[in-house]
Amino acid sequence: MLEPMTDSSSGFDYLIVGAGFAGSVLAERLASDGKRVLIVDRRPHIAGNAYDRYDDAGILIHPYGPHIFHTNSREVFDYLSRFTEWRPYEHRVLASVDGQLLPIPINLDTVNRLYGLNLTSFQVEDFFASVAEKVDQVRTSEDVVVSKVGRDLYNKFFRGYTRKQWGLDPSELDASVTARVPTRTNRDDRYFADTYQAMPLHGYTRMFENMLAHPNIKVMLNTDYREIADFIPYRHMIYTGPVDAFFDYCYGKLPYRSLEFVHETHAREQFQPTGTVNYPNDYGYTRISEFKYITGQQHPQTSVVYEYPRAEGDPYYPVPRPENQELYKKYAVLADARPDVTFVGRLATYRYYNMDQVVAQALTTYRKLTGAATQPEATPAG
């Protein structure tokens, strides 16, 4: 395995594997402390799955699917504001159900339009209570939904989508999968309810470029860390890749769901009525997202992406089943036994984190590594 450097006069203080949110935040924080940082990524770009670029039509797209920033953390928002200005954006999603495009998460308008009713907020609470199924102990994703909104709404909005997304029935998945999606009794049709909802004004890649533009940071792309680690001296490794790969899959591969993204550009200004439309019951894809809603870009054409869940491919979503957590725990024991390596981020800790949660985890990890008590005052990007 990899040996840290012994010569204090040369090399790097930190070798960081992965230039996504976890690796880049740690690189910036440590470099600002005067540490010498080498950050490597096997991809040809920084920013991980949040990477964005202009397509051939000149439209800013997210090659790895739409990334919508939202957080309740003032610390996270202020930290990222050092590297970007923001464009306020509240994401809205419609679901194609029974020939209608209806708001998701399920709200008052969803119920009224689906069933031809005219309920008030107070009455819809009674409606949910009347159709909900009693579940003694909520264990699965199916339990979460049917215990809140009943079997019919579960079948129309959740079951098909979940089966496509995960390749498993919701009854086979941990409750955390559908617990993330709220049910509302008012007309709030925002997909997220977080305090801070905004998109980087000039895109994620520009934000990452600003984050890594420090003289103490060296970036190497198209690079497998294993090919250079024996030749470049460093003191400590920060690893943000798949934890099972780090240990050569000695206990077997951790299961992930992947995605295939099919991008299209259309010679019209608008393709669909909102940023994302879900297709829980029809077609092989789960959703279509239109980037101009998300980025705010003005352009006579528009670009969209179709998302097809896949069993194989780049690891995106850890499969939340008890046996997979047990397998991860074996790797966590190996990771804990490596004081020379810090494991951080989605893949290294086998957890599904939103972007802001990864940033928060990275800031916490930085404080643990350095003993820093608090973050310095933020200076928003101008």
Side-chain angles (χ1 to χ4, degrees), residues 206-218:
R206 177 77 64 84
M207 181 178 74
F208 276 80
E209 288 171 349
N210 292 337
M211 198 181 300
L212 297 175
H214 194 287
N216 288 344
I217 298 175
K218 165 77 173 174

Side-chain angles (χ1 to χ4, degrees), residues 164-280:
K164 282 195 282 187
Q165 180 74 16
W166 295 99
L168 295 166
D169 193 81
S171 62
E172 303 174 90
L173 283 167
D174 186 86
S176 62
V177 173
T178 48
R180 295 164 59 90
V181 182
T183 300
R184 298 178 179 140
T185 58
N186 57 20
R187 288 190 162 89
D188 184 357
D189 64 347
R190 298 173 303 160
Y191 197 72
F192 306 109
D194 299 55
T195 304
Y196 304 98
Q197 301 186 49
M199 294 295 293
L201 183 61
H202 303 292
Y204 286 103
T205 302
R206 177 77 64 84
M207 181 178 74
F208 276 80
E209 288 171 349
N210 292 337
M211 198 181 300
L212 297 175
H214 194 287
N216 288 344
I217 298 175
K218 165 77 173 174
V219 180
M220 292 180 68
L221 301 176
N222 296 300
T223 301
D224 185 329
Y225 77 98
R226 293 176 184 268
E227 295 175 356
I228 56 98
D230 290 337
F231 306 103
I232 296 178
Y234 64 93
R235 295 182 184 280
H236 188 81
M237 177 184 287
I238 295 173
Y239 181 81
T240 72
V243 65
D244 52 349
F246 184 89
F247 293 107
D248 298 316
Y249 307 105
C250 63
Y251 296 126
K253 293 191 74 169
L254 286 166
Y256 284 92
R257 286 295 279 178
S258 188
L259 292 169
E260 177 186 348
F261 302 103
V262 177
H263 291 264
E264 291 180 353
T265 299
H266 296 270
R268 49 177 155 156
E269 287 199 17
Q270 179 182 315
F271 181 81
Q272 60 188 24
T274 194
T276 295
V277 177
N278 288 356
Y279 292 87

